[in-house]
Amino acid sequence: QVVVSQEPSLTVSPGGAVTLTCGFNTGAVTSGHYPFWFQQRPGQAPTTLIYDTSKRHSWTPARFSGSLLGGKAALTLSGAQPEDEAEYYCSLSYSGAYVFGTGTKVTVL
Amino acid sequence: EVQVVDSGGGLVQPGGSLRLSCAASGFTFSDAWMSWVRQAPGKGLEWVGRITTTTESETTGYAGPVKGRFTISRDDSKNMVYLQMNSLRIEDTAIYYCVTDRSTTATIKLSYWGQGTLVTVSS
């Protein structure tokens, strides 16, 4: 069974930086897995922040960036704002399906 | 402006059926694949399945837990996609989201989400 793992929770100070990761239990994540990153606030639908590893949508704040890091997909938040407190999910393409990560709860404190 | 509006959720008994609908606009619908994603209460996101374009034979793909019970279809004349759910189980209880998937004419892959519609399976 394919599992995509993320840190359960991370805390960042206002104005600080934090990196979330997204890893496969089957091996390294590559650009061919087309990593996506989503933000979900309580009671709301997800919002797509990053697609195809590192591309930002027009609505994505510049403080969010995506990359590959040590065999995993990574989302870096630089200059955290109170409104960035949310759940973050990644997804990877695998064998014609999308597999979502377990989610990371980010607290800005 | 791209808009995705999903609807049709409700309360259904185990073993019952329900059809969800999704209306999309603001892009060339016939060029786009569409996916469904669900989220059980207090849990993470789970991909349910997708449908390709009519040109690609409306090929469908499903996640293991719903294969053989759920069917996705589309009507390009109405810019609509549907999720027919049969033999529903308690573990299918979730918010179901319709989401744009890959397209040859727009950058919309997994980028525009419906507001979600709640399906509750309970006796």
Side-chain angles (χ1 to χ4, degrees), chain A residues 15-94:
Chain A
V18 65
T19 296
L20 291 63
T21 66
C22 172
F24 255 139
N25 65 336
T26 61
V29 175
T30 71
S31 58
H33 294 114
Y34 303 101
F36 275 68
W37 288 94
F38 310 91
Q39 179 190 67
Q40 188 178 35
R41 297 189 176 103
Q44 296 186 15
T47 300
T48 306
L49 295 174
I50 299 289
Y51 65 100
D52 292 352
T53 305
S54 60
K55 299 176 182 176
R56 278 189 290 262
H57 278 295
S58 58
W59 56 78
T60 305
R63 61 183 179 272
F64 290 97
S65 61
S67 65
L68 294 177
L69 195 64
K72 295 183 179 182
L75 176 71
T76 299
L77 168 58
S78 302
Q81 301 296 309
E83 62 265 28
D84 298 330
E85 186 161 296
E87 191 83 23
Y88 292 81
Y89 294 95
C90 66
S91 79
L92 301 172
S93 294
Y94 184 83

Side-chain angles (χ1 to χ4, degrees), chain B residues 9-104:
Chain B
L11 175 63
V12 62
Q13 292 187 335
S17 298
L18 201 62
R19 189 178 86 153
L20 306 184
S21 299
C22 170
S25 61
F27 61 100
T28 305
F29 183 78
S30 58
D31 289 344
W33 297 13
M34 297 293 292
S35 273
W36 288 92
V37 173
R38 69 183 180 182
Q39 186 170 35
K43 302 296 184 183
L45 301 172
E46 179 185 24
W47 180 75
V48 172
R50 77 152 67 84
I51 186 166
T52 68
T53 64
T54 300
T55 304
E56 296 166 294
S57 304
E58 299 183 7
T59 303
T60 53
Y62 301 96
V66 308
K67 197 174 294 185
R69 301 187 298 122
F70 289 13
T71 302
I72 300 173
S73 61
R74 64 187 298 154
D75 183 342
D76 288 356
S77 69
K78 297 179 180 178
N79 283 16
M80 296 286 294
V81 63
Y82 305 98
L83 177 63
Q84 178 67 44
M85 303 183 293
N86 298 331
S87 302
L88 281 161
R89 304 168 180 168
I90 290 175
E91 56 264 34
D92 294 319
T93 295
I95 296 172
Y96 285 73
Y97 297 100
C98 178
V99 58
T100 57
D101 204 322
R102 56 187 284 188
S103 166
T104 55

